Amino acid sequence: GMLRRLASMLYESILLFAIAFLATWLFQFAAGTLRIEGWRVHVLQLFLLTVFALYFLWCWLRSGQTLAMKTWRIRLVSKRGHGKLAPAAALLRFACAVVLVPTTIGIFWAMVDRDRQFLHDRLAGSLLIPAG
């Protein structure tokens, strides 16, 4: 249901905060400074985006679940055949989610979608199902 998926997204945001905190600390250590200014801000943003992509892609491609999805018993599968998601589809889902989730467009889309799918799932050909 929608409430379970939204709760999973909230939990995921808490986990992403922790991942971002650790990744930023590592970046600062590698940069040799606590102050990230100028062009380094953009490098840090790109680094964080890469770390997030690696986290999601690794989880989705390995088991179809992030830690938050495991907690809320949700599994990500391919819409065709309910098998594992292909790497290209997982990358497309991540790219779409990066744009759509913060703007809440994908969430509002699910409220009017005939299958109650988030827009990034519809675009990537993925499906969230209850995990048994």
Side-chain angles (χ1 to χ4, degrees):
M2 180 67 80
L3 189 57
R4 180 186 285 192
R5 291 183 291 162
L6 292 175
S8 179
M9 288 174 80
L10 177 62
Y11 185 24
E12 200 74 71
S13 68
I14 295 167
L15 294 172
L16 286 177
F17 178 81
I19 291 169
F21 184 85
L22 178 61
T24 301
W25 181 82
L26 290 172
F27 185 87
Q28 290 172 321
F29 179 77
T33 180
L34 293 177
R35 294 185 57 136
I36 306 299
E37 299 174 315
W39 61 272
R40 287 188 175 124
V41 171
H42 301 297
V43 175
L44 173 60
Q45 291 169 338
L46 183 61
F47 178 68
L48 289 174
L49 185 65
T50 302
V51 169
F52 290 164
L54 291 173
Y55 164 72
F56 281 110
L57 294 174
W58 183 73
C59 291
W60 292 340
L61 295 174
R62 192 178 60 105
S63 67
Q65 295 177 295
T66 61
L67 181 58
M69 294 167 80
K70 286 179 184 177
T71 301
W72 288 96
R73 298 192 335 226
I74 299 169
R75 183 174 307 282
L76 181 67
V77 295
S78 171
K79 195 168 182 178
R80 292 184 218 106
H82 295 323
K84 283 189 175 181
L85 207 56
L91 186 59
L92 178 60
R93 184 180 196 266
F94 175 78
C96 291
V98 164
V99 174
L100 297 172
V101 170
T103 64
T104 67
I105 293 170
I107 296 168
F108 285 114
W109 175 273
M111 293 179 187
V112 298
D113 185 85
R114 68 178 180 271
D115 299 320
R116 297 288 189 233
Q117 279 191 286
F118 291 129
L119 183 55
H120 52 278
D121 284 314
R122 173 87 48 207
L123 295 171
S126 58
L127 186 64
L128 293 172
I129 61 170

